[in-house]
Amino acid sequence: MAAVDSFYFLYREIERSCSSYVEALAVVGAFYTASKAFSLVRDCYSLIRLHFIPRLISRADLVQHYGKWAVICGAVDGLGKAYAEELARRGVSIILICPDKRSMDDVARALTEAHRVEAAIIEADFSQGRAAYKPITEALKDKEIGFLVNNVAELYGYPQHFTEVPEDKLWDIINTNIAAATMMVHVVLPGMLERKKGAIINISSGSCCKPTPKMTASSASKAYVDHFSRALHYEYASKGIFVQSLVPFYIASQMNAVTGVIHSGWLVPHPQVYARHAVSTLGISHRTTGYWPHSIQFWFAQYMPEWMWVWGSNILSQAT
């Protein structure tokens, strides 16, 4: 009888303890579910506030908010050219920086004729390192620079193992992707601070989310641009300078360079479509993909396990 009583007592104690643990786990589970639901609602609201509402209300006067001139680095590329066209459409005068002035004469002329703005060209090759910045500094010293768009980029021609990338290509990536974004900000930022207004748009890439094998140096350089931009935002937002990190995924022109695919669509917009969406986010978000379908991709990329990202990157690299 004593043994039965002891067993019954032990059973009641275990049951009481388990009940406490179950209640504790239920509280933790409810809190976790509530936090995830809140995050989902917040992200949906941010998506609507950033990508849809600004396009429904009247457009801001960009010249008044930031300044007369926009410096576009990498305007030869489809995205840089499209960004220049969109800003010109909003009344901003354009300075195009490219390695071959003659190749951009028609673009500058078209901007002037179509949008009644001024357009100028500065010839500079960022792959040359420090020598590229002296003529740029001289040409910009008397200009009211309201915008800097750092779009210049050196990419792999195709996915490669790091040791297969030529040394000259690695130096081009460093000088073009990292040094150019850094030094161009250093050139224009003092004037913006003096006027207490300006916008710096550094175009990174969705590949900065996680390590991307066989695009190692390229994706790492884009991660630098993203972190550099975010740090600048915290330094200079209180001084009237808007710094934005754009992290787009595939755009049609980029797909052509990497995979040879010409088709565009919902997830792979034309540069003009992307630029129109991205410019509407100016002054609203300091870090965005610039295009709402890309924001959905970015959410998935953030929550995706790193091994899955690497696996997908390897699949894509084998297909090219």
Side-chain angles (χ1 to χ4, degrees), residues 110-132:
L111 290 174
T112 300
E113 293 174 355
H115 305 291
R116 306 300 179 186
V117 297
E118 297 180 66
I121 304 172
I122 300 175
E123 189 169 350
D125 185 356
F126 292 112
S127 67
Q128 299 302 311
R130 296 184 68 176

Side-chain angles (χ1 to χ4, degrees), residues 190-266:
M192 291 181 174
L193 289 172
E194 186 177 332
R195 293 184 296 274
K196 297 182 179 180
K197 64 179 181 179
I200 296 170
I201 301 98
N202 292 325
I203 300 179
S204 178
S205 168
S207 65
C208 75
C209 295
K210 289 181 170 61
T212 306
K214 298 185 181 179
M215 300 291 286
T216 304
S218 179
S219 65
S221 68
K222 290 301 185 180
Y224 169 84
V225 171
D226 180 47
H227 282 255
F228 172 65
S229 305
R230 292 158 68 187
L232 279 176
H233 162 73
Y234 289 115
E235 282 190 50
Y236 292 105
S238 62
K239 296 176 173 62
I241 310 303
F242 177 74
V243 183
Q244 183 179 62
S245 176
L246 280 180
V247 286
F249 283 80
Y250 280 129
I251 300 171
S253 58
Q254 296 173 330
M255 288 283 281
N256 297 342
V258 177
T259 67
V261 177
I262 300 175
H263 304 294
S264 63
W266 180 60

Side-chain angles (χ1 to χ4, degrees), residues 5-43:
D5 290 341
S6 298
F7 176 78
Y8 181 73
F9 176 76
L10 179 62
Y11 172 77
R12 291 297 300 271
E13 289 298 316
I14 293 175
E15 182 184 35
R16 188 181 299 111
S17 300
C18 288
S19 178
S20 300
Y21 291 143
V22 168
E23 290 175 359
L25 289 174
V27 171
V28 172
F31 177 78
Y32 177 81
T33 302
S35 66
K36 289 299 181 182
F38 175 78
S39 297
L40 179 62
V41 172
R42 181 196 60 196
D43 290 342

Side-chain angles (χ1 to χ4, degrees), residues 15 43 56 80 83 89 107 124 126 151 158 160 189 206 241 244 258 265 269 304 310:
E15 182 184 35
D43 290 342
L56 297 176
Y83 216 103
R89 192 171 68 87
V107 175
F126 292 112
N151 178 58
Y158 53 89
Q160 292 176 281
L189 187 55
I241 310 303
Q244 183 179 62
V258 177
M304 181 186 298
V310 173

Side-chain angles (χ1 to χ4, degrees), residues 43-64:
D43 290 342
C44 290
Y45 167 74
S46 298
L47 184 71
I48 295 170
R49 181 184 65 86
L50 178 60
H51 295 291
F52 294 97
I53 293 178
R55 303 187 67 197
L56 297 176
I57 60 179
S58 60
R59 299 183 305 179
D61 186 336
L62 295 183
V63 175
Q64 181 180 352

